[in-house]
């Protein structure tokens, strides 16, 4: 923000709106537009900064009160067809411990649509090979 606008104490709503628009149309290091989540994080950081600055007395009024973040819709998960699920489940060898474990995890993923973060937290000591 300081690189974009200069002195942070004298910024008003107009300059902050211009900064927000620049973020939405500015390309990142890879030449792509920033994702909506990245823009929201940047705007939230600026809003937190000005809330703090107003509370401490560095600025008289919080100039970010008009800034809102957009709600990012969740991306739809790809559904596996029955044939794709079968093909995936025959990959691990169920005659070995690791193969049986992997097949159980894949079964949980396919049947219950668990996120990989939830699957990563499974305690495999509860997996009984027999």
């Amino acid at each position: 923000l300081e690189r974009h606008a200069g002195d942070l104490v004298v910024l008003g709503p107009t300059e902050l709106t211009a900064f927000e628009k620049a973020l939405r149309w500015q390309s990142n290091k890879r030449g792509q537009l920033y994702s909506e989540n990245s823009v929201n994080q940047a705007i939230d950081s600026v809003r937190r900064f000005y809330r703090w600055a107003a509370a401490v007395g560095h600025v008289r009024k919080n100039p970010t009160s008009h800034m809102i973040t957009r709600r990012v819709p969740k991306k739809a998960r790809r559904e596996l067809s029955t044939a794709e699920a079968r093909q995936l489940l025959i990959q691990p060898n169920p005659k070995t411990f690791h193969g049986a474990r992997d097949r159980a995890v894949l079964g949980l993923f396919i049947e219950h649509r668990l996120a990989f973060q939830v699957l990563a937290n499974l305690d495999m000591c509860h997996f009984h090979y027999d």
Side-chain angles (χ1 to χ4, degrees):
L1 177 62
E2 193 171 29
R3 246 184 287 135
H4 175 80
D7 190 8
L8 298 179
V9 176
V10 296
L11 288 182
T14 309
E15 292 87 2
L16 290 169
T17 301
F19 170 68
E20 182 180 355
K21 286 181 182 177
L23 272 179
R24 294 195 189 284
W25 294 106
Q26 178 181 1
S27 58
N28 60 20
K29 292 177 184 176
R30 292 178 285 172
Q32 301 169 334
L33 291 178
Y34 286 108
S35 72
E36 195 70 31
N37 284 326
S38 296
V39 172
N40 285 346
Q41 287 174 357
I43 291 169
D44 282 340
S45 296
V46 170
R47 288 168 64 193
R48 280 192 298 273
F49 168 76
Y50 277 107
R51 273 196 303 259
W52 166 81
V56 173
H58 292 300
V59 293
R60 279 186 246 155
K61 185 178 148 192
N62 182 356
T64 63
S65 57
H66 73 286
M67 297 175 80
I68 56 171
T69 54
R70 300 176 186 173
R71 185 167 178 86
V72 180
K74 290 186 178 183
K75 293 181 181 176
R77 287 176 146 182
R78 183 177 172 272
E79 292 283 335
L80 291 178
S81 68
T82 306
E84 289 174 322
R86 256 191 226 119
Q87 191 65 30
L88 192 59
L89 285 172
I90 64 170
Q91 296 300 318
N93 181 4
K95 293 184 175 27
T96 66
F97 174 80
H98 293 292
R101 179 206 59 202
D102 293 347
R103 188 173 173 149
V105 170
L106 283 171
L108 284 170
F109 175 73
I110 292 169
E111 185 67 28
H112 298 288
R113 311 255 322 129
L114 296 176
F116 69 89
Q117 295 92 339
V118 174
L119 292 172
N121 289 329
L122 288 177
D123 191 350
M124 293 314 292
C125 70
H126 295 127
F127 176 73
H128 298 289
Y129 181 69
D130 54 339

